[in-house]
Amino acid sequence: MPIHVENGLPAIDMLKMEGIRIHEMPQTQPCRWNVALVNLMPEKIPAEADILRLMARCPLETALHLYRMASHRSRNTSGEHLERFYTTHADSPLTEMDGVIINGAPLERVRYEDVDYWNEFRGIMDACEASGVPVLYLCWAAFAGLYARYGLDKSLLERKLSGVYRHVLTAEGTGCPLMSGFDDIFFMPHSRHCQIDQAAAAKESGLSVLAYSPDGPGAAIMADRNGLDFYITGHAEYSPMTLDSEYRRDAARGLNPSIPENYYPDDNPDNRPEVRWRAHANLLMDNWLDKYVCVH
């Protein structure tokens, strides 16, 4: 079934070129299942396309509603775009949604408490938990959520972790509906400057590690034992060329980035990247929508 989004969203044209059906509709038009994307990424339009790409492949008909932080002024996305397509938790409570996705932001080197929307982020977490709304925390939002709820702090890495890594499904992951149908070994991109201590996460009584990577990323997919919240430290939603764009951007800035691991054939950036995560990324989103969002 097609996914419903607000009329005129620029990401629609990007996805139509990929052959993905998107149904434009006024945001006031009702849809049976409604999902919110709290978009923390500076470049919001590509992030919108990444989430829509996964949702549109699910057979369940859903609508995606875009949210921004009221306490933050975006410098990378036009005010006109935000005004037309985005709302805030204060104006339209996220507790009215059937599911919420919160993505990341390049804030690894900033103390959580120093992020200008930290209190708003905490308020959204608390409101969704109190209302029983399932939340999918991605990348920085996963680190921030684990810190806010469990006190698990990040540790900075000397060099950026970037690439496509092998992940192992744990025994707890095998029994979790979110991971239904997953192979014992699967791949997922990561791109970040920080790490969560996997041993500390495994010892946390309220947390379950569903999958981890022994090749660098560590704990990668975790579940809160309330059964509704998931923390994904990687980027299953990334398009094939996202890591390439990040690598070339960092190189142009003179940051001397490492070549993303397990990404370019022969580790040669002149070669087109190999995509090894798309099928499991689609399965992850399908499972989340089918088994946690569209269930009541």
Side-chain angles (χ1 to χ4, degrees):
M1 297 294 288
I3 187 170
H4 297 248
V5 295
E6 181 65 22
N7 295 333
L9 189 70
I12 294 172
D13 292 332
M14 298 170 61
L15 296 176
K16 282 182 178 178
M17 294 178 64
E18 301 175 22
I20 297 175
R21 294 176 60 202
I22 301 292
H23 181 69
E24 300 176 66
M25 64 175 235
Q27 210 156 24
T28 54
Q29 182 176 331
C31 185
R32 179 65 182 89
W33 309 110
N34 294 277
V35 173
L37 169 61
V38 181
N39 194 352
L40 306 183
M41 290 292 284
E43 299 288 346
K44 300 199 182 299
I45 294 174
E48 297 160 11
D50 284 344
I51 298 300
L52 283 168
R53 184 181 294 108
L54 294 184
M55 291 184 63
R57 298 188 187 280
C58 180
L60 297 167
E61 188 165 7
T62 56
L64 183 67
H65 304 263
L66 300 176
Y67 280 71
R68 62 178 177 85
M69 290 297 193
S71 48
H72 177 74
R73 181 177 180 180
S74 177
R75 294 176 293 180
N76 299 89
T77 302
S78 72
E80 179 183 1
H81 181 82
L82 296 175
E83 182 67 25
R84 178 176 177 184
F85 298 110
Y86 280 72
T87 187
T88 68
H89 176 53
D91 292 332
S92 181
L94 285 158
T95 52
E96 297 176 358
M97 296 288 108
D98 298 296
V100 173
I101 301 168
I102 309 178
N103 62 10
L107 295 169
E108 297 101 322
R109 293 189 171 94
V110 181
R111 290 179 65 250
Y112 294 116
E113 292 84 357
D114 293 336
V115 174
D116 57 5
Y117 50 76
W118 179 243
N119 289 335
E120 187 176 3
F121 178 86
R122 291 289 306 269
I124 287 172
M125 284 189 69
D126 293 342
C128 290
E129 182 180 22
S131 298
V133 177
V135 181
L136 204 58
Y137 295 91
L138 308 181
C139 198
W140 180 86
F143 286 91
L146 290 170
Y147 176 74
R149 185 158 290 163
Y150 298 105
L152 290 174
D153 207 351
K154 62 195 174 190
S155 56
L156 293 178
L157 302 172
E158 291 186 7
R159 291 189 66 82
K160 184 178 183 180
L161 181 75
S162 176
V164 181
Y165 297 92
R166 174 177 63 108
H167 291 73
V168 178
L169 193 66
T170 67
E172 290 180 296
T174 300
C176 178
L178 182 73
M179 313 302 288
S180 177
F182 267 62
D183 294 327
D184 293 341
I185 303 294
F186 63 96
F187 292 86
M188 181 167 60
H190 287 260
S191 177
R192 48 187 162 87
H193 292 89
C194 64
Q195 187 66 282
I196 282 284
D197 186 286
Q198 183 172 341
K203 290 178 181 177
E204 177 57 55
S205 61
L207 198 61
S208 177
V209 178
L210 306 180
Y212 69 95
S213 172
D215 301 329
I221 302 179
M222 289 155 279
D224 192 289
R225 294 200 187 275
N226 67 13
L228 294 176
D229 296 336
F230 297 94
Y231 308 89
I232 301 176
T233 61
H235 286 285
E237 81 281 4
Y238 265 9
S239 73
M241 302 305 293
T242 302
L243 286 175
D244 177 75
S245 298
E246 292 181 354
Y247 169 71
R248 298 183 189 282
R249 176 201 64 198
D250 291 349
R253 292 175 178 174
L255 300 178
N256 190 29
S258 299
I259 294 175
E261 297 184 77
N262 312 309
Y263 183 56
Y264 301 111
D266 300 322
D267 288 332
N268 184 350
D270 292 333
N271 292 328
R272 183 171 179 81
E274 293 179 333
V275 180
R276 291 186 286 178
W277 65 92
R278 183 185 290 121
H280 282 93
N282 290 332
L283 181 58
L284 182 74
M285 181 60 73
D286 285 359
N287 284 343
W288 184 67
L289 291 173
D290 181 45
K291 302 177 188 305
Y292 297 93
V293 175
C294 304
V295 293
H296 54 272

